Amino acid sequence: MARHSRKIEILDAASRIVSQQGIFNLTLEAVAKEAGISKGGLLYHFKTKEALVSGMVKHLTDNYREKIEAHVEADPEEIGRWTRAFLNVTFNHVYPNKDWNAGLLAAKAVNPALLKPLHDAYKDWQHKIENDGLDPTDATLIRLSTDGIWLSELFDVYQIEEEKKEQVYKRLSEWLHALQKKEVPFSE
Amino acid sequence: MARHSRKIEILDAASRIVSQQGIFNLTLEAVAKEAGISKGGLLYHFKTKEALVSGMVKHLTDNYREKIEAHVEADPEEIGRWTRAFLNVTFNHVYPNKDWNAGLLAAKAVNPALLKPLHDAYKDWQHKIENDGLDPTDATLIRLSTDGIWLSELFDVYQIEEEKKEQVYKRLSEWLHALQKKEVPFSE
DNA sequence: GCGTATCCACCGTCCGGGTAGTATAGTAAT
DNA sequence: ATTACTATACTACCCGGACGGTGGATACGC
């Protein structure tokens, strides 16, 4: 058995607890139980609670990064690559997966500085999106709408019907397609 | 002295603690101290911690509602009223005020069901925005971008320069203005 | 116009329960 | 011998909530 995958099992268990039972139930004992491990075993892998939460953020950031990079590489069209990757990955992978939110909430509660890996990823993407061969402000707006869907669902303020959700996604994709036509020269 | 304003002072104190020190420091004692009151006095006004957080959500929802309604009433142009109000109020009042976030985070942590007043407000606004005399999908996109700005800043994943922020706002306003021209018949 | 009863807004303390983290002793596989 | 744990016990602390006050304002009876 890949022994080091145990760490990821623990991270997943922690995420499940946060998304199903909330931050205040993220106790070391609860995580140990959910992961099918003893408290001592948990502390062997993560020396403090903060280290555990830090691991959650790193884990989700790595996954997010991987998915976006894979999408960019598989995209035959150069213009709008990053914006398209961000839209599609966020909408289809991140957004429906409640556990992504758990890391955010846990970090924000325990110590916001732990969000740094995610900040760095976003700084990177924002830069890529602004230099994606599209009008940078329009590309940024597509990014923001996408985040808006994700994050407003996190607080259950989305309040948009399932059917409209698809329409929004379609409209965003079409808009992105149209933006390709009025190409903006790459600035780098 | 308006004695019942004391409740609002307590709510503000609680918000300050959450936004400056995080959820885990939102203890009754800390709130009491920040509000310049004793713990017993605090419990007189809010019988449980949950009641306190519930008060935070209600307070911010009421403020949000008032501001949006005032904006709608002051708007001479009928088409796009609600979308414009949502954009302007969120961008200029809610978004720069960190304390608005505190209520969200506190409720999500303590008991997500406490967010109901805010859900109801959003449900209302979303309905108004979809029937604002504009193309409903485009209007929804404007709403989502606006939320995206607000909420991504909450997790510090905004990562967009100050200057670009204004550009985004301007682009959104222009877009809204352009949408007015290709009017869509009111559906109600 | 004076005593008194009630109520309001608030104070200070105490207690039971829970939690992070430490310690320690042991096990099984490599 | 080291790694990767299990199991249990213990400490030191903290927090929510209950409870029993208290001074001052207001209302009521006579």
Side-chain angles (χ1 to χ4, degrees), chain A residues 13-89:
Chain A
S15 296
R16 254 174 278 136
I17 287 172
V18 173
S19 52
Q20 287 164 24
Q21 309 178 57
I23 295 289
F24 288 128
N25 294 305
L26 184 77
T27 65
L28 296 181
E29 267 173 13
V31 173
K33 195 181 171 191
E34 176 75 25
I37 204 176
S38 73
K39 190 179 167 183
L42 167 61
L43 283 161
Y44 174 79
H45 289 289
F46 299 98
K47 263 173 271 296
T48 65
K49 192 177 182 177
E50 194 164 311
L52 173 66
V53 174
S54 173
M56 290 170 79
V57 175
K58 277 182 194 133
H59 183 50
L60 77 84
T61 303
D62 287 348
N63 276 342
Y64 208 162
R65 270 214 140 101
E66 269 169 38
K67 286 212 168 64
I68 288 203
E69 261 144 48
H71 194 287
V72 166
E73 270 162 43
D75 195 332
E77 173 61 49
E78 197 187 350
I79 299 166
R81 262 187 180 160
W82 289 92
T83 313
R84 215 160 24 246
F86 188 81
L87 169 64
N88 288 327
V89 170

Side-chain angles (χ1 to χ4, degrees), chain B residues 99-169:
Chain B
D99 293 351
W100 289 83
N101 304 332
L104 287 194
L105 288 171
K108 185 78 191 177
V110 170
N111 178 2
L114 300 178
L115 286 167
K116 179 143 199 311
L118 192 65
H119 296 172
D120 293 344
Y122 262 86
K123 200 170 270 177
D124 215 17
W125 295 330
Q126 180 59 28
H127 185 252
K128 297 277 184 28
I129 283 169
E130 285 179 20
N131 299 281
D132 212 13
L134 308 170
D135 175 275
T137 305
D138 284 340
T140 297
L141 275 178
I142 290 171
R143 195 222 104 171
L144 286 171
S145 309
T146 311
D147 276 343
I149 296 172
W150 174 25
L151 295 170
S152 62
E153 178 109 332
L154 171 56
F155 289 103
D156 306 304
V157 292
Y158 190 69
Q159 301 300 345
I160 296 171
E161 280 153 33
E162 209 48 40
E163 188 199 355
K164 185 132 249 136
K165 196 181 291 186
E166 277 306 314
Q167 280 175 32
V168 166
Y169 178 57

